[in-house]
Amino acid sequence: MIQRIQTVYLLLVILLFATMAFLPFAHFELGGELAAFSNFVFSFENAELFPSRPSVAWGGVFFTLVNIVYALRIIFDYNNRRRQARGCTFLLLFTVLLWATMATYSAVFMFKSGASLMPSYAVAMPFMALIFIALAKKAILSDERLVRSAERLR
């Protein structure tokens, strides 16, 4: 059934990733000028201060979209709880890869331009998503145990 608590957890994960996609992940400061780094773009107040700048963080775009689509797939795969639980494991991996990708983009940009990094609160969103994914997996496995025990009683 789709009306289970893991659906709520996975919808919260989708909401977190969709929100994180448009919030600044970090800000860089160089010479009093700021550059904002979100999942999709680097935005600059003064582009001349940041000569080695990518325009789009394609790794962040890819992993954000993969996480959203995969979470939707897990929600609608309610007939096969084992595959749902395995999907949550992969979603955990994709979330860690998203965070690692964004951290790598930030570190490379920071070292190439010499700017100082000021992380935003959007950095915590993948960690919150990890918690919700783990809760969803726990609920899925709990449902599976409940169904197996009910089948034994029959």
Side-chain angles (χ1 to χ4, degrees), residues 25 37 97-110 117:
F25 197 72
F37 172 45
L97 288 174
L98 168 68
W99 192 85
T101 301
M102 300 310 279
T104 303
Y105 272 110
S106 297
V108 167
F109 182 73
M110 184 176 62
L117 174 71

Side-chain angles (χ1 to χ4, degrees), residues 13-23 25 37-41 56-72 91 93-102 105 122 125-126 129 133:
V13 167
I14 292 169
L15 183 68
L16 281 171
F17 285 130
T19 304
M20 188 186 78
F22 298 104
L23 290 177
F25 197 72
F37 172 45
S38 72
N39 236 356
F40 294 126
V41 294
V56 177
W58 290 110
V61 172
F62 174 74
F63 282 118
T64 301
L65 293 178
V66 164
N67 281 334
I68 291 172
V69 170
Y70 206 70
L72 280 171
L91 192 58
L93 174 70
F94 292 148
T95 304
V96 169
L97 288 174
L98 168 68
W99 192 85
T101 301
M102 300 310 279
Y105 272 110
M125 288 187 178
I133 295 167

Side-chain angles (χ1 to χ4, degrees), residues 74-92:
I74 292 170
I75 289 173
F76 290 109
D77 197 16
Y78 54 86
N79 289 329
N80 192 338
R81 283 174 296 280
R82 286 185 188 157
R83 192 169 29 191
Q84 264 190 324
R86 196 173 334 120
C88 283
T89 303
F90 285 121
L91 192 58
L92 284 168

